[in-house]
Amino acid sequence: MHIIGTKGNQELMNREKTLFLCSKMTPIRLYEHIFKWTDSLTERDCIACFNSTDMESEVLKALLVAKVPTILFVMNRFTDVNNIQVEKAILEKRMLIVILKRDEPKGKGQTPRLRNEYVLSLCQHVVCGYVNKNGSVFPLLAGRINVMSLIEETTCSMAAEPDVRLERWTVAQDKMLLRLFYADMGIHAIHKQLQRSYASIYARLHSITQPEELLKGREFEDYVLSMFDVKKNGPLFLQEWQGDKSLGLLQPENNSNPDFVFRYEGKEFAIECKWREKLSRDLSKDLFPMVRIENYMKFSKSRNMPVTIILGVGGEPCNPELLYRIPLERIVSITSGTQSIVDYLYPLPSFNITMFIQQEGKNYGQAYTLDEKRKQFPNAYKSWSIEDDERLIALFKENRSVKEIASIFERNEGAIRSRIKKLITGE
């Protein structure tokens, strides 16, 4: 583990430092005991911390609001680039962000453990919040004498579960709640300002704000739209912006259409935006479920326009590390394993709208629908039954060719290879 970059007041590294550690899934009834410690800190202290769990994130916000000198350790890059409290702390020289990178290749030791051990070597003291004895923090601290625990066994057993069924929230309280929330003040600052329980605050935020995943999706849409740089009198026009609109479980029927429809020189094309922190192993389940792809195919046919998926991966929705441009008609080859998604990696930051439009123009009239695909392969994209899987493995063990098996199942060869691989390797 070594330092590859810093941002902020590097003089903080020379101060006596206390590392805050906390296990994942800290019970909310224990928040009060942890925040009593943050309230006791002053500008004379210097706290080192991470930002990889909910509790660590809330402690970081509490430290910044209280103006306690803070060193944040992150892996590979700092992603929370738009945090108001971080920006203020950096400007006031009371924060340092340290970016780490592991020396060993992946597979030789878990990254969190290596990170923790490295940062422990830089700090003189350790303060623990909630520690799960079955987690990774507990064995890490065994035998160390410079450790202070904020929560003991008796505290865990005696802590009362907060009651979220208090008096109703007023409009004035909701306004204050939202102002503090969007100012990145953290739950502790909201708790002190509004005198409501932590559980009550979480419940109310869940009720009146959009889910985090939806916000990330909208943020990535903004990023994609900024790349296209639509101008009022330019050749590129934004015809439609679908957006994700819902009320509870009620969603409009056409909510499954692509996010954007553009018009360029009299021709239209559609864009669907997706962002993920990282790519999952099962793209067909996470990114490209068949129901959604069918909807896009129907949309493409009915509107006579190509549909392209723009996928951002890593970093933040407003600043992804990787960008993929995938024509709709190529999704099946990616999910079936016959083609790699890497083939559709798009260069950043050299996005060129002219080049994109030229590439998009090649796809006009080439989009196909599920019905058209099933004229060639009647069982294309249908779910595999247990009986299908058993028969597939039996044919494979008989050394039947992929072409022959594909003919038997009335599916394309890529789908057969992909299913055999999944059944044999579990991938």
Side-chain angles (χ1 to χ4, degrees):
M1 195 70 61
H2 65 282
I3 297 173
I4 61 172
T6 61
K7 181 179 181 180
N9 184 4
Q10 298 193 40
E11 294 182 2
L12 293 179
M13 286 293 286
N14 300 324
R15 293 181 57 170
E16 187 171 317
K17 299 175 285 294
T18 298
L19 174 63
F20 173 77
L21 287 174
C22 193
S23 295
K24 296 180 181 179
M25 306 299 291
T26 301
I28 196 168
R29 66 180 186 275
L30 302 177
Y31 276 33
E32 181 180 356
H33 301 276
I34 296 174
F35 286 127
K36 281 183 180 178
W37 170 72
T38 62
D39 286 342
S40 71
L41 301 172
T42 69
E43 295 180 3
R44 295 188 297 272
D45 296 292
C46 182
I47 307 301
C49 62
F50 306 112
N51 191 26
S52 53
T53 69
D54 290 342
M55 189 70 248
E56 290 171 350
S57 176
E58 293 297 346
V59 165
L60 172 62
K61 291 174 184 176
L63 294 172
L64 297 180
V65 169
K67 298 189 175 182
V68 177
T70 304
I71 303 177
L72 173 64
F73 289 89
V74 299
M75 291 298 302
N76 300 320
R77 64 178 294 178
F78 177 64
T79 58
D80 198 5
V81 293
N82 296 318
N83 188 298
I84 295 173
Q85 300 304 318
V86 169
E87 291 176 358
K88 186 184 298 185
I90 293 289
L91 185 64
E92 296 176 359
K93 298 183 178 181
R94 49 184 171 83
M95 184 177 190
L96 174 66
I97 300 171
V98 179
I99 304 172
L100 304 176
K101 189 175 183 66
R102 57 181 294 163
D103 300 305
E104 305 90 340
K106 289 187 176 181
K108 294 186 177 180
Q110 293 183 342
T111 297
R113 179 181 63 80
L114 295 173
R115 177 205 64 182
N116 292 348
E117 290 177 347
Y118 178 76
V119 177
L120 274 169
S121 70
L122 302 177
C123 298
Q124 292 74 35
H125 310 283
V126 181
V127 167
C128 291
Y130 169 70
V131 177
N132 181 352
K133 289 188 175 181
N134 296 319
S136 59
V137 174
F138 184 75
L140 182 69
L141 302 177
R144 296 181 181 270
I145 60 175
N146 60 340
V147 178
M148 181 180 77
S149 296
L150 300 177
I151 298 171
E152 306 294 343
E153 287 292 334
T154 53
T155 304
C156 290
S157 60
M158 294 176 61
E161 193 72 43
D163 185 6
V164 300
R165 295 170 298 179
L166 302 175
E167 70 277 4
R168 65 183 294 273
W169 286 75
T170 65
V171 173
Q173 288 175 328
D174 279 346
K175 289 181 177 180
M176 177 66 72
L177 173 68
L178 290 175
R179 281 200 296 270
L180 296 172
F181 173 71
Y182 287 116
D184 298 312
M185 299 290 284
I187 193 171
H188 187 48
I190 298 174
H191 163 78
K192 291 199 294 185
Q193 185 78 21
L194 296 178
Q195 297 296 303
R196 307 295 291 250
S197 73
Y198 298 108
S200 175
I201 293 168
Y202 271 132
R204 190 59 180 171
L205 282 172
H206 182 74
S207 300
I208 65 175
T209 62
Q210 294 176 321
E212 185 177 2
E213 290 305 312
L214 181 56
L215 288 174
K216 289 179 179 179
R218 291 185 57 183
E219 190 174 5
F220 184 63
E221 287 180 20
D222 292 343
Y223 169 81
V224 171
L225 191 58
S226 68
M227 289 196 310
F228 279 90
D229 192 25
V230 179
K231 299 186 184 307
K232 185 175 182 180
N233 298 316
L236 180 67
F237 295 90
L238 176 61
Q239 293 283 93
E240 301 171 23
W241 187 344
Q242 177 72 22
D244 293 315
K245 301 177 179 64
S246 62
L247 180 61
L249 298 177
L250 181 63
Q251 296 185 347
E253 185 175 346
N254 67 347
N255 201 44
S256 57
N257 288 349
D259 295 313
F260 299 122
V261 172
F262 292 98
R263 189 178 80 253
Y264 183 77
E265 295 183 349
K267 295 182 179 180
E268 293 181 331
F269 64 93
I271 300 292
E272 170 64 15
C273 305
K274 293 182 181 295
W275 178 85
R276 294 292 186 274
E277 290 185 4
K278 59 182 180 180
L279 289 178
S280 66
R281 299 180 70 178
D282 189 352
L283 295 178
S284 61
K285 181 178 180 180
D286 177 43
L287 277 171
F288 310 122
M290 197 57 234
V291 173
R292 184 58 61 92
I293 297 303
E294 287 179 5
N295 287 333
Y296 295 156
M297 288 178 176
K298 291 176 182 177
F299 175 88
S300 178
K301 183 177 181 179
S302 65
R303 297 286 295 270
N304 191 29
M305 71 174 73
V307 176
T308 296
I309 311 295
I310 293 187
L311 168 65
V313 178
E316 289 289 310
C318 60
N319 184 28
E321 291 181 345
L322 301 173
L323 197 69
Y324 298 86
R325 174 195 175 276
I326 312 170
L328 177 62
E329 61 269 22
R330 299 290 182 262
I331 295 296
V332 176
S333 61
I334 293 174
T335 56
S336 66
T338 58
Q339 195 169 19
S340 172
I341 194 172
V342 178
D343 296 337
Y344 297 93
L345 194 61
Y346 209 81
L348 280 174
S350 56
F351 181 87
N352 185 303
I353 183 61
T354 303
M355 182 184 299
F356 184 94
I357 295 298
Q358 290 174 347
Q359 292 174 340
E360 202 65 26
K362 297 176 183 179
N363 297 321
Y364 282 108
Q366 295 180 8
Y368 60 84
T369 66
L370 182 61
D371 291 339
E372 292 167 344
K373 191 69 176 177
R374 282 182 175 165
K375 289 179 181 178
Q376 184 178 5
F377 305 105
N379 291 323
Y381 316 126
K382 290 184 179 179
S383 299
W384 288 82
S385 66
I386 296 176
E387 292 76 14
D388 289 338
D389 286 340
E390 292 175 348
R391 187 185 181 198
L392 175 63
I393 291 299
L395 292 171
F396 176 74
K397 289 180 177 180
E398 292 175 5
N399 293 321
R400 301 284 191 98
S401 69
V402 172
K403 184 176 182 179
E404 184 180 1
I405 297 175
S407 177
I408 293 173
F409 281 93
E410 297 183 321
R411 298 175 185 262
N412 66 41
E413 294 179 24
I416 298 300
R417 292 191 188 94
S418 178
R419 193 62 181 178
I420 290 174
K421 180 181 178 182
K422 181 177 181 64
L423 293 175
I424 293 178
T425 66
E427 298 181 355

